[in-house]
Amino acid sequence: MKSKYLKNLKYDLPAGLVVFLVALPLCLGISLASGAPFFSGIIAGVIGGIVIGALSNSQLSVSGPAAGLVAIIISAISTLGTFEAFLLAVVLAGAFQVVLGFLKAGVLAYYFPSNVIKGMLSGIGIIIILKQIPHALGYDVEGFNEMTNFIKEDGSTALGSLFSAFDHISLGATLICFIALGIIIAFESPKLKAISKLVPGGLVAVVVSVLVSELIFKSIPSLQIEQEHLVNVPVANSFNEVLGLFTFPDFSKILDSQIWIVALTITAVASIETLLCIEAVDQLDPQKRFTNNNRELVAQGIGNISSGLIGGLPITSVIVRSSANLNANAKTKVSTIFHGVLLFASVLLIPTILNKIPLSSLAAILIFTGYKLAKPSIFKEMFSNGKYQWKPFVVTVASVVIFDLLIGVGVGLAFSVYYILKGNFKNSFFYQKSEDGPIRMVLSEEVSFLNKANIKESLEAVPKNSSIIIDATNSTYIDFDVLQGIKEFVDYKSKYRNIECQLIGFDKQFSLTEVPAAAH
């Protein structure tokens, strides 16, 4: 096993460097979007790389703070009142994930419809964009990220608060955002795709933003970016100061029911996002290696416990960094672990450089991240898949944006289940009328109690003095209540209306005596 890791160092160390370059601005940006300390995002990235990377048996996935949890973090910090209370929820969420792993609950993610998952991610993308617009304009006010509902208690809307940012535009910060966004978009073009695999567009955008801010805008008073519009990572000058950077959970709130609700929410969303990401990475793995989902849940749980205990954000497996790892030709988990080591070193060795990064450049990265989560092609794809796909998708998106993530997913699931049941209700049998011959009712493979009303209504609609064939040849399961309804129709109702009945395929499996044609 050791020889495998040593043999692939020539691939894994350069790949780890590339992932670090992708992860650094994302860790800072997600902290900004979440309204959490910048250091908490770095901690989550370090734990995701080193701890989860070491424990997971996925060779290519990368874990860290995720854009998909931003809405939950914002809402949780606002609801719980303190960041320390939120950290306790992260620790508990990690413990729940460990339990889920040991209970072999890794299959749970397969029961969430893809339209709801895509709706959730698109809703998160829209939220991220809306919440980053003020930062993009240089309106870095306290409290905007705490706004979690579209409609607030005073009756005003999130858009009203958003538009207020346009009254406080910082020209320098806004220009930085446009420059950064232009670079990121350019690096997505086919001409620069090869370069972006080696040097991520987000990192180039951050570096250029720092250079423009420091070398050009500082000499132009109207464009100068003030300190409050820059990253603020704590600078430690001694070992004791390094220890002082960490924040610890408030265990005195352990009996607060809100803590447990937040923990369960983080558990559900983080676990689902992780398992979906793992599945995607396994499909892209050139060596087609398989990740044990239950072991992954345990690894993620231990990672979240570790992150919460020392002041980090919740962690999931993340597709952007995992994709960067794949594209950089990584072979083993060493690349993931190495990127975590580099993240930790960057905070210790170059914090003053990090503190020169304009917040608006990170906002540009997050706006583009939000766009990729909610890009028009996703909506187009869902609409092309038919109403049973796009209706739950749109409802999920709207509910996530208007209310919050948990309510949005719940409403989306309810709609999805409704359409599944509706489809099952309609497709329980094939009903064909004929001008000359008998009516044919061919039952589907599985007929549940939900189909009872529809079948009963169809039998009631059979005209007097006609004939019907009820065919169960293809059926493997027919609910008892449905069988009783068919028997009642054949034995009693059809006789009063002079309807000839023929039953096919009922005799042995469903214990219903078959009726030959022209029985009456």
Side-chain angles (χ1 to χ4, degrees), residues 103-150:
L103 292 176
K104 302 187 183 304
V107 298
L108 289 176
Y110 305 143
Y111 292 95
F112 281 80
S114 61
N115 51 11
V116 174
I117 297 297
K118 290 180 179 179
M120 176 190 77
L121 293 173
S122 295
I124 289 167
I126 293 170
I127 289 172
I128 289 172
I129 292 170
L130 290 175
K131 290 186 180 299
Q132 290 313 301
I133 289 175
H135 295 297
L137 300 174
Y139 186 49
D140 303 302
V141 293
E142 292 280 341
F144 185 83
N145 281 331
E146 296 175 4
M147 186 178 58
T148 56
N149 295 329
F150 186 84

Side-chain angles (χ1 to χ4, degrees), residues 26-27 30-31 40-42 44-45 63-67 69 313-316 318 321:
L26 283 174
C27 288
I30 290 168
S31 299
S40 64
I42 298 293
S63 297
L69 290 174
L313 294 177
I315 302 169
T316 74
V318 278
R321 276 153 273 185

